[in-house]
Amino acid sequence: MNTSRRRFLRATAAAAGGLAASSTFPAWAKGARAAAGSAKVAVAPEISLFGYSQVQLLEGPFLRQFEQQHDLFLHLNEDAMLKPFRMREGMPAPGPDMGGWYDDANDFNTSDNFHSFIAGHSFGQYVSGLSRAYAITGSKPTQEKVHRLVRGYAETVHPEGKFYVDYRLPAYTYEKTLGGLVDAHEFAGDPTAMDVLMRATQAAIPHLPEKALSRAAQRARPHKDISYTWDETYTLPENLFIAYQRSGDSRFKDFAVRFIEDDYFLPLAEGQNVLPSEHAYSHVNAFSSAMQSYMVLGQEKYLRAAQNGFRMIQEQSFATGGWGPDEAFVVPGSGGLGTSLDTTHNSFETPCGAYGHFKAARYLLRTTKDSRYGDSMERVLYNTIGGATTTLPDGTTFYYSDYNKAGRKVHYGQKWPCCSGTFPQLAADYGISSYYQGRDGVYVNLYLPSRVSWTQAGTQASITQVTEYPRTNTSQLQIKLARPEAFIVYLRIPAWAGAKTRVSVNGSKVDGGATPGRFLTVQRTWKDGDRVEIEFEMPLSLEAVDKENPNMVALMRGPVALFGTGEIPSRLTRAQLMAASASAKDSEDYVVKTDSGALVMRPFMAIMSEGYRLYLPVQS
């Protein structure tokens, strides 16, 4: 038996024997460990998530995206994934370097070289994505890989946190490792993951501040260089509260409370827009910490903070649903979105932003039952992440969506950036974002080719959704039941839906009509073979980039933004854009007839290497 193996077995035995209650924990961690499953939450949303295994994506672009991410990380070299942790521990570190942000080296500088920016930063996200993929697919090789990675990581955890010595962003990487270990336990059935997490938490504690710090607060403290002020302590509460709920250990709850950023949440709760001074993605991600704070602690101010903050980002979103040009919020009333069309190609941090957006929207939808959070997810899905280019095996990753006046799809220049970690998690979450379980029925949120299965009053039930939406404007839900059962199917009717939107059951129109911006309630005793058919009126509309630039507009078809391709005419009118028509029966392209010829408009998911323009100037 080799030395590292003996070290791991000793560490595991110590954890199992009571390391979790060790006196080496600081004051926040004192006290008896609760029994698993005994965690108490103050607010349980009436709408719950289905399990990952209960929703299966069917053939379509989002299944292919999930499968590509799953395959990539399933075959990623495990020694390479563990190498930064072994190196910083002083252990033998075989295997190749991953490259890019992920390596442990000393050549990083903020001006022109982001190699080795955050060594090992997304390891926990890769483990999380694989754990969720196992829960979806039941792939034993995936589960076995998760277990090997947890064991390998456990060998590197030094009690004093050697990994974090002179480390730029300790909270950033600890939070991702925390989430990965919790998911490895919950979704991949790893029996040691929670004990490893307790050891990893003890290792991280000495390297974390006493509370959540904004970037401004970090800059005000002594720091080695500016990159050491970019840590994201304010995102910790979400996964710490989840660790508390899954383990029953109240010390995770206490640790989460320590990092609730009231300096951010309390002004938001009072309706004060404090976004412009903050980093965009991480502060949208922080809304999920606000929602967990609300659910666990029962303090409504955190719900208000998340609601108000989400509304504020929507008020400064592009027509695609994306936000945060150059990873920053704009000052309200400044015309900053319009200005960004000339000044940057880094318009929306796409996998990260979409991941944070989806999580926050899921929490808010489940809590408020407001279908418009589903509308926002749909817009981001089809106009941003759905059009992301494939992550390559060497870590080349899609990062920014580009809304510049001369836009193109390109990969990010550095390998294994932050978006390489959120992409596999987001793709694994498409299913659980599509359907939710209410106390009296099922909520259909996203119109994707998919199947959801559950037990209704003791009866096996499923809904299979057959659709090519939004390329087509229809979706059919096929219901399978072992015996007839009464329940409600809630259908999200988007706020953009036209008056001719129609819902029918077995060919008969549903009474009451479909109200845009609401869930339609379809209540009956369902039987095997019933079908629900939805036909959306998808009107064309124009959306200005912001109020200060009313003549810079995007053409929308329902939830889908259409991008101008090829040479953009020098003269366009609103009437010409609103007269756009489909180029062919089965085509996603629309054609605008202009004085100088035809302009082809194309959805982001259909754009390849051609140049494009989202916002078009129209005559005033």
Side-chain angles (χ1 to χ4, degrees):
M1 183 181 296
N2 63 36
T3 302
S4 61
R5 178 65 175 161
R6 285 196 298 272
R7 184 189 300 121
F8 169 68
L9 290 175
R10 287 197 301 271
T12 304
L19 181 59
S22 168
S23 62
T24 61
F25 275 85
W28 73 268
K30 302 293 186 184
R33 185 175 183 175
S38 64
K40 297 291 190 287
V41 297
V43 179
E46 292 185 22
I47 302 175
S48 60
L49 296 173
F50 282 104
Y52 282 97
S53 64
Q54 291 180 273
V55 186
Q56 298 293 318
L57 297 180
L58 302 177
E59 178 54 36
F62 295 101
L63 175 62
R64 292 193 292 272
Q65 200 176 70
F66 163 72
E67 289 177 336
Q68 187 276 331
Q69 290 289 322
H70 181 195
D71 182 73
L72 172 68
F73 289 98
L74 177 60
H75 293 99
L76 203 60
N77 185 287
E78 293 171 28
D79 283 330
M81 297 172 75
L82 291 164
K83 191 167 187 174
F85 301 96
R86 289 168 171 164
M87 289 179 67
R88 295 180 72 84
E89 172 70 11
M91 297 170 57
D97 290 334
M98 293 265 285
W101 288 20
Y102 200 84
D103 287 349
D104 182 48
N106 59 8
D107 59 339
F108 167 85
N109 66 73
T110 57
S111 61
D112 61 6
N113 184 12
F114 268 58
H115 177 242
S116 70
F117 173 31
I118 327 172
H121 64 107
S122 286
F123 173 81
Q125 293 176 307
Y126 303 154
V127 171
S128 170
L130 285 167
S131 300
R132 298 175 192 195
Y134 166 69
I136 293 166
T137 64
S139 161
K140 292 302 291 183
T142 303
Q143 183 187 41
E144 290 163 0
K145 180 161 188 161
V146 170
H147 289 198
R148 288 193 301 271
L149 290 171
V150 171
R151 291 197 302 269
Y153 172 76
E155 294 178 344
T156 72
V157 180
H158 189 278
E160 296 176 3
K162 286 178 65 175
F163 175 83
Y164 294 111
V165 174
D166 193 26
Y167 190 81
R168 289 182 183 84
L169 311 181
Y172 181 97
T173 297
Y174 165 68
E175 188 267 340
K176 290 163 179 53
T177 305
L178 158 66
L181 290 170
V182 170
D183 284 359
H185 171 79
E186 181 76 6
F187 303 130
D190 189 288
T192 66
M194 294 307 289
D195 286 321
V196 175
L197 173 58
M198 188 59 74
R199 294 173 50 217
T201 301
Q202 180 178 350
I205 286 168
H207 307 277
L208 300 177
E210 74 283 1
K211 64 175 184 175
L213 297 176
S214 68
R215 292 194 174 185
Q218 292 176 81
R219 289 193 297 271
R221 296 185 174 197
H223 52 272
K224 186 174 181 179
D225 66 52
I226 193 64
S227 66
Y228 286 77
T229 71
W230 297 341
D231 209 1
E232 298 175 2
T233 48
Y234 41 81
T235 67
L236 282 166
E238 181 193 17
N239 275 327
L240 286 168
F241 278 130
I242 291 172
Y244 159 63
Q245 291 166 69
R246 292 184 181 166
S247 69
D249 195 317
S250 62
R251 287 167 294 186
F252 288 117
K253 174 184 174 182
D254 296 339
F255 203 22
V257 170
R258 168 174 156 179
F259 289 102
I260 297 174
E261 193 185 22
D262 280 340
D263 289 346
Y264 177 54
F265 293 140
L266 297 187
L268 287 176
E270 297 304 316
Q272 181 181 346
N273 190 335
V274 292
L275 299 178
S277 62
E278 308 292 3
H279 174 253
Y281 159 62
S282 62
H283 282 81
V284 170
N285 199 28
F287 296 158
S288 294
S289 285
M291 288 304 298
Q292 279 288 343
S293 300
Y294 165 65
M295 292 190 297
V296 174
L297 305 177
Q299 296 179 28
E300 192 173 338
K301 61 186 177 183
Y302 296 119
L303 172 60
R304 293 199 309 272
Q307 288 177 302
N308 289 342
F310 201 89
R311 172 180 52 79
M312 290 167 187
I313 66 159
Q314 289 187 291
E315 290 171 351
Q316 57 172 267
S317 290
F318 294 102
T320 62
W323 33 263
D326 288 325
E327 302 188 27
F329 297 113
V330 303
V331 175
S334 68
L337 285 188
T339 300
S340 75
L341 304 180
D342 290 302
T343 60
T344 187
H345 291 272
N346 303 337
S347 303
F348 177 50
E349 188 182 2
T350 298
C352 284
Y355 181 61
H357 192 105
F358 266 60
K359 278 198 302 164
R362 280 199 302 269
Y363 281 123
L364 287 163
L365 189 155
R366 291 173 53 212
T367 302
T368 66
K369 300 183 182 180
D370 189 335
S371 69
R372 288 173 293 185
Y373 293 114
D375 292 359
S376 77
M377 296 165 75
E378 170 182 80
R379 188 171 285 217
V380 168
L381 180 68
Y382 295 119
N383 299 313
T384 72
I385 190 63
T389 53
T390 300
T391 306
L392 303 182
D394 68 353
T396 302
T397 304
F398 188 83
Y399 195 122
Y400 292 114
S401 292
D402 178 7
Y403 308 141
N404 190 278
K405 292 177 180 178
R408 284 193 179 273
K409 282 187 184 179
V410 297
H411 279 107
Y412 185 58
Q414 303 285 336
K415 300 182 188 303
W416 303 114
C418 52
C419 286
S420 72
T422 46
F423 206 160
Q425 293 178 295
L426 173 63
D429 286 354
Y430 290 149
I432 66 164
S433 297
S434 299
Y435 303 91
Y436 304 94
Q437 190 161 27
R439 295 175 180 175
D440 51 6
V442 174
Y443 288 76
V444 179
N445 183 48
L446 296 178
Y447 297 101
L448 298 179
S450 54
R451 178 178 298 112
V452 59
S453 302
W454 77 101
T455 301
Q456 180 68 39
T459 299
Q460 291 299 307
S462 70
I463 294 176
T464 298
Q465 189 169 179
V466 180
T467 185
E468 294 184 36
Y469 177 97
R471 189 180 68 81
T472 65
N473 67 334
T474 60
S475 186
Q476 183 182 96
L477 309 180
Q478 301 170 352
I479 293 175
K480 185 175 182 180
L481 285 163
R483 62 173 181 265
E485 291 289 351
F487 58 92
I488 298 173
V489 175
Y490 293 94
L491 301 171
R492 181 179 59 82
I493 307 300
W496 52 257
K500 295 179 182 178
T501 295
R502 172 189 172 97
V503 177
S504 61
V505 176
N506 300 330
S508 299
K509 183 179 178 181
V510 172
D511 293 335
T515 303
R518 301 280 298 275
F519 279 105
L520 173 65
T521 299
V522 185
Q523 183 172 12
R524 59 186 282 128
T525 298
W526 301 92
K527 63 182 186 302
D528 190 49
D530 281 346
R531 68 186 190 281
V532 180
E533 293 167 327
I534 311 157
E535 182 178 355
F536 296 101
E537 182 185 7
M538 285 184 163
L540 294 176
S541 62
L542 299 176
E543 292 190 10
V545 63
D546 50 32
K547 292 179 181 178
E548 293 71 32
N549 295 277
N551 294 323
M552 194 67 67
V553 300
L555 177 63
M556 306 292 298
R557 174 181 173 264
V560 178
L562 296 171
F563 292 68
T565 61
E567 185 174 350
I568 306 299
S570 58
R571 184 181 185 277
L572 275 171
T573 67
R574 296 174 190 274
Q576 288 171 338
L577 289 172
M578 289 296 289
S581 59
S583 63
K585 181 178 179 181
D586 294 323
S587 174
E588 298 177 273
D589 292 352
Y590 270 62
V591 174
V592 176
K593 295 180 180 179
T594 76
D595 299 343
S596 55
L599 172 64
V600 176
M601 307 291 291
R602 186 164 291 161
F604 196 60
M605 289 177 63
I607 289 173
M608 305 301 288
S609 60
E610 68 269 35
Y612 61 80
R613 184 164 176 172
L614 171 60
Y615 286 99
L616 303 172
V618 293
Q619 301 295 311
S620 59

